[in-house]
Amino acid sequence: MKVQEVIEVLERLASPSYAMNWDNVGLLAGRRDREVTGIYVGLDATEQVIEGAVSAGCNMLLTHHPLLFSPVKQVSDSDFVGNRLLTMIEHGISYYAMHTSYDSAPGCMADQAAAMLYIEDGEPLELVSGPGEPPCGIGKVGYLAKEITIDQLCARVKEKFRIPALKVFSAAGTDENGEQLRDRPLRRIAVSPGSGKSMIQLAIDAGAQALVTGDIGHHEGIDGAACGITVIDAGHYGLEHIFISHVAGYLREQLGKDVKIVEAEFCMPYRVV
């Protein structure tokens, strides 16, 4: 199977038309007419992931986040981007990234994350699809079958996404009935894997009582809590690593035994001490 044929399979899952205009998705390195015998799937094109692809004998690398994002003026071993590209080129590895195209496409990141949290009747937080198309986009907001507390929601996030710790911003104190605000029941929940600073206001506008996302700074968190929404920061990798198993499973179904599919190991890029 050729690289171009693999690309066609990937783009049936997540068309580049769903990507944001600032993004960089698609074939970022390699030749479309090369034969593919093994595909290595990871979240980021780190040195460890590229070494994993080499060790596994894979000649195509697929990641969620694109290694090439800003313009590159040279490809050499003088910086980490050039060095990683050289390693891939020297080992004949073709490299494809599917970033916001996968975030937005039906059945992909937003839908997968919402299903893991049992969010029903979901709608996109940020709509990407055009008129006449099924509604899809970045993030998802909807209802749980029954109310839960903030602590119960946090426990669910940690369990489902295998996360050791969370950062939670929620209103402190008590309500007019003397009940602790952090114990109030939640039912309308939003989730936006990745960097969610810009999603807080969208979640508030959508009537969400809590937003599960990543990369929340101090000011965004306390401002969100002041507006009445609980913001749960599960980390960027913490939520988006689901890309690996989902896309790898899809490729196994589509390609059968013709191409070896290898998943990068689950590995949090930081540790809590």
Side-chain angles (χ1 to χ4, degrees):
M1 176 170 283
K2 306 289 186 184
V3 169
Q4 178 58 37
E5 293 175 296
V6 174
I7 291 173
E8 291 169 3
V9 170
L10 290 171
E11 294 183 355
R12 288 201 297 269
L13 176 67
S15 168
S17 65
Y18 288 117
M20 299 297 192
N21 56 16
W22 47 260
D23 202 5
N24 189 27
V25 301
L27 184 65
L28 304 188
R31 299 183 183 277
R32 294 176 182 270
D33 61 353
R34 285 284 176 88
E35 195 72 25
V36 178
T37 57
I39 302 173
Y40 198 86
V41 186
L43 193 71
D44 299 277
T46 61
E47 290 182 10
Q48 292 81 3
V49 166
I50 295 171
E51 289 170 1
V54 172
S55 298
C58 294
N59 58 357
M60 186 170 185
L61 173 63
L62 169 64
T63 67
H64 180 50
H65 298 131
L67 176 63
L68 295 175
F69 208 82
S70 302
V72 175
K73 293 185 177 181
Q74 62 178 15
V75 178
S76 70
D77 60 0
S78 60
D79 65 84
F80 74 92
V81 173
N83 197 49
R84 293 175 192 178
L85 282 171
L86 285 173
T87 300
M88 286 189 277
I89 292 169
E90 289 166 354
H91 287 88
I93 296 175
S94 301
Y95 173 46
Y96 188 96
M98 48 197 309
H99 189 207
T100 54
S101 54
Y102 180 82
D103 285 333
S104 305
C108 293
M109 187 73 82
D111 288 334
Q112 292 288 318
M116 291 173 70
L117 295 179
Y118 307 131
I119 295 173
E120 302 174 350
D121 303 322
E123 57 191 49
L125 271 178
E126 184 175 359
L127 190 66
V128 171
S129 55
E133 297 178 330
C136 64
I138 305 294
K140 208 83 170 178
V141 60
Y143 291 95
L144 303 179
K146 61 180 182 178
E147 295 178 334
I148 60 175
T149 65
I150 293 171
D151 287 350
Q152 288 171 331
L153 177 58
C154 289
R156 181 176 297 179
V157 172
K158 291 170 69 175
E159 176 192 358
K160 296 298 181 181
F161 290 89
R162 296 186 288 166
I163 301 171
L166 304 171
K167 187 165 61 175
V168 184
F169 296 91
S170 59
T174 59
D175 62 17
E176 63 275 9
N177 299 316
E179 298 289 336
Q180 289 290 328
L181 291 174
R182 66 180 55 190
D183 294 332
R184 61 185 174 180
L186 306 173
R187 187 155 178 240
R188 187 159 174 83
I189 308 298
V191 61
S192 184
S195 183
K197 294 178 182 179
S198 64
M199 307 303 287
I200 296 175
Q201 189 58 53
L202 292 173
I204 292 171
D205 294 343
Q209 297 168 285
L211 169 65
V212 181
T213 188
D215 291 353
I216 298 299
H218 170 76
H219 296 289
E220 295 86 13
I222 62 173
D223 290 349
C227 292
I229 189 171
T230 293
V231 182
I232 300 173
D233 186 345
H236 204 122
Y237 183 94
L239 295 177
E240 289 195 328
H241 70 81
I242 61 176
F243 166 88
I244 299 172
S245 58
H246 177 233
V247 176
Y250 169 79
L251 287 173
R252 291 188 185 103
E253 290 177 359
Q254 296 295 313
L255 306 183
K257 298 181 179 180
D258 294 339
V259 178
K260 175 175 63 174
I261 309 298
V262 181
E263 300 177 33
E265 291 185 6
F266 175 83
C267 181
M268 295 291 286
Y270 63 87
R271 59 194 182 100
V272 179
V273 297

